[in-house]
Amino acid sequence: MLYFCGMKTTIRDVNKVLWKHIRPHKGPVILLLALVGLGTSVQLIVPWLYKLFFDTILGDMTPFYGDIPQTLVAITVLVFVTNFFGNLFWRGSGVINAHIQPLIMRNLERDSYNYLQDHSYRFFSNSFTGGLIRKIRRLSKSFHLLFDHMVWHFFSLAMTFIVAVIVIGFRSPPLSIAIIGFTIIFIIQNIIFSKWKLGYDEKRATIDSEVTATLADGVTNNLNIKLFGGFDFEKNRFNDVSGRFKKLMTFTWNLNEINMTIQGLLFAILEFGVIYYAIQFWQQGLLTVGDFALLQSYILITFRKMWDIGRYIRDTYEAYADAKEMVEILNTPHEIRDTKTAKALEVTRGRIEFKDVIFRYAKTRTILDKLNLKIKAKEKVALVGPSGAGKSTIVKILFRFFDIQRGQVLVDGQRITKVTQESLRNQIALVPQEAVLFHRSIIENIRYGRRDATDEEVVEAAKKARCHDFILELSEGYETLVGERGIKLSGGERQRVAIARAILKNAPILVLDEATSSLDSESEALIQEALDELMKNKTTIVIAHRLSTIMKMDRIVVIEQGKVVDMGTHAQLKKKTGTYKKLWEIQAGGFTK
């Protein structure tokens, strides 16, 4: 379930997003439409020329250029010239389209990606990664289909219909009126059908995203599936969602076949009626044989375009259904936003204060209850407490991944809600419990801590994090690709790369969230010195259970049920009867006194 605001996205909302990206390119789009209009109009001159051709042969028209053979040659030349310029107009429109369509599609994906990245930690926690990726791509593909249909099909059909009706109207107004009436009935029938089918198209788009999300979830957790023997369970889970998608696809395709059957019957009736009455008019001397050629050509051209119009209308509604999910995300306000007057955070000392902080994930679940905590500049503080006490939440609030309901969080006296998120997070380095790396080279992953760092600075940071040696043992060294989320490296190796990244960032505030939990004793010994060096002259918050880390802190803060219940050094707290002593005894197991 995505974190939305319960909004209902409409076709108008989709059009607003698409128009916002089309508007900067109005000039080329107008030129494109002009060329398509010219190409369509010129194409419709050819049937009129063939009417003149047959009327000249049969004597229904006086030659306009010398005798009959000369007139026929002249008409043939005009057909060639007309087709030449028609082709020129079509190719010109194709060149312009090849420029603006990919550009607008790129901009749609870029802006969707940028807006998506600014959504909150909660948003991504409640969303499937694969589904979000699919929505971004589907929005640009929907634009591609909609733009193609609007320009090459609907606009072209409108031009064809207008020219054909005008020309036929000059020769036979009743036939022209009949074609107008049929077209109106045909289009209304298709719009009503497509609108009715839209609900099923939206369900199809939703299940399609669910299929993608299920695939991504299963592939990402392949190791868990193997470890827990979950292949049959996951296979059945995917079969269920893909089966629902198949069932809905079959149903909607069958609806299309029924609609096309109705269209075919309507076309047969119209063609029969037009030709039947044309024969009557010919017998009365109101139409010539050339008019039959003209009528048949226009009917065939119009029918061919109109036959597809039903599919184009259905495709259009399906494209809108596909685009709606991403537009809904684009129309969902960001949960965490900078104020208009937000300034860059200036950290001169690194003092942190939580004042009467109340935070709830939900209305009925209070995580932090009037939390008060002061951390001095360059002080090293450990947060300990039972699972669910709120330790990790404190860190997430410091990063402003969530906004608190009441209270204040200050860094050097500056409220974090009054500074930009980027400047706040630039001043804090994090080594998480589970290091997640980009599917890029090791050097790129380390350099992400400070992207303007030189190779020498990256290597120096790697040495301090005790990962330089194992990197050199890899076949590609620092250019080794680490795989998705860093899966090609061991847990300890990933953690050391994350530490190197934090060392390179060199932020004045440091957060270690179980930073050594993935390491064996030997690796921990290698890294402990690096961590000690990393923490020098930095305000440090540590969430840890490892004895070696906790014992070195200036102060240990005990958190329980979202409140500070005790604090002191390791030696002081170990002597007290309370939560810390209980946790210590459970962890120490009696071997450390």
Side-chain angles (χ1 to χ4, degrees), residues 79-93:
V79 170
F80 171 79
V81 172
T82 302
N83 283 327
F84 173 80
F85 278 102
N87 184 63
L88 203 62
F89 291 138
W90 284 117
R91 300 292 70 78
S93 63

Side-chain angles (χ1 to χ4, degrees), residues 424-442:
L424 169 67
R425 293 161 191 166
N426 281 340
Q427 300 296 333
I428 310 172
L430 171 69
V431 181
Q433 181 177 3
E434 182 181 351
V436 177
L437 305 181
F438 291 97
H439 183 20
R440 303 170 191 174
S441 66
I442 290 178

Side-chain angles (χ1 to χ4, degrees), residues 477-495:
Y478 279 86
E479 298 300 326
T480 301
L481 296 177
V482 301
E484 187 176 5
R485 300 174 66 87
I487 196 171
K488 291 185 179 180
L489 302 180
S490 70
E493 289 170 341
R494 285 198 301 272
Q495 203 72 344

Side-chain angles (χ1 to χ4, degrees), residues 20 24 37 40-41 50 186 242 244 250 294 296 300 303 318 332 348 410 451 470 500 560:
K20 177 184 176 182
T40 302
S41 301
Y50 279 122
F186 179 82
S242 61
R244 286 189 283 119
T250 300
L294 178 68
Q296 192 64 20
L300 288 175
F303 275 20
E318 289 178 6
T332 300
T348 56
L410 303 101
R451 284 177 287 280
F470 89 76
E560 192 169 356

Side-chain angles (χ1 to χ4, degrees), residues 33-131:
L33 292 174
L35 289 174
V36 170
L38 287 171
T40 302
S41 301
V42 168
Q43 186 181 45
L44 293 170
I45 294 175
V46 174
W48 181 265
L49 294 174
Y50 279 122
K51 165 189 158 46
L52 300 181
F53 188 92
F54 288 114
D55 283 345
T56 301
I57 289 177
L58 295 173
D60 292 327
M61 187 185 80
T62 303
F64 62 83
Y65 187 76
D67 56 13
I68 291 177
Q70 288 177 317
T71 298
L72 295 178
V73 170
I75 293 173
T76 303
V77 171
L78 287 174
V79 170
F80 171 79
V81 172
T82 302
N83 283 327
F84 173 80
F85 278 102
N87 184 63
L88 203 62
F89 291 138
W90 284 117
R91 300 292 70 78
S93 63
V95 169
I96 294 174
N97 184 67
H99 168 69
I100 61 175
Q101 259 213 68
L103 177 61
I104 295 173
M105 290 173 68
R106 190 282 308 269
N107 292 344
L108 274 168
E109 292 191 355
R110 177 201 63 196
D111 293 348
S112 296
Y113 174 80
N114 293 345
Y115 192 85
L116 185 69
Q117 289 286 18
D118 272 341
H119 269 298
S120 65
Y121 179 89
R122 190 200 310 265
F123 175 90
F124 285 98
S125 298
N126 293 333
S127 306
F128 278 114
T129 302

Side-chain angles (χ1 to χ4, degrees), residues 116-217:
L116 185 69
Q117 289 286 18
D118 272 341
H119 269 298
S120 65
Y121 179 89
R122 190 200 310 265
F123 175 90
F124 285 98
S125 298
N126 293 333
S127 306
F128 278 114
T129 302
L132 293 175
I133 294 169
R134 183 69 173 257
K135 288 175 177 59
I136 292 176
R137 301 308 307 276
R138 276 215 306 242
L139 177 60
S140 65
K141 288 180 180 179
S142 294
F143 163 77
H144 171 61
L145 188 146
L146 289 169
F147 193 83
D148 271 359
H149 282 356
M150 294 299 174
V151 173
W152 306 107
H153 303 136
F154 296 131
F155 180 71
S156 178
L157 171 62
M159 292 294 300
T160 300
F161 177 76
I162 291 169
V163 173
V165 165
I166 291 173
V167 173
I168 293 174
F170 277 119
R171 300 300 301 153
S172 176
L175 289 179
S176 179
I177 293 171
I179 292 174
I180 292 173
F182 168 82
T183 303
I184 291 173
I185 293 171
F186 179 82
I187 292 177
I188 289 175
Q189 181 264 330
N190 273 279
I191 290 175
I192 291 173
F193 172 79
S194 298
K195 281 188 173 180
W196 172 73
K197 183 172 168 282
L198 179 61
Y200 295 104
D201 292 332
E202 290 176 344
K203 290 180 182 178
R204 174 194 52 77
T206 300
I207 298 177
D208 185 33
S209 295
E210 189 178 344
V211 169
T212 304
T214 303
L215 280 170
D217 195 36

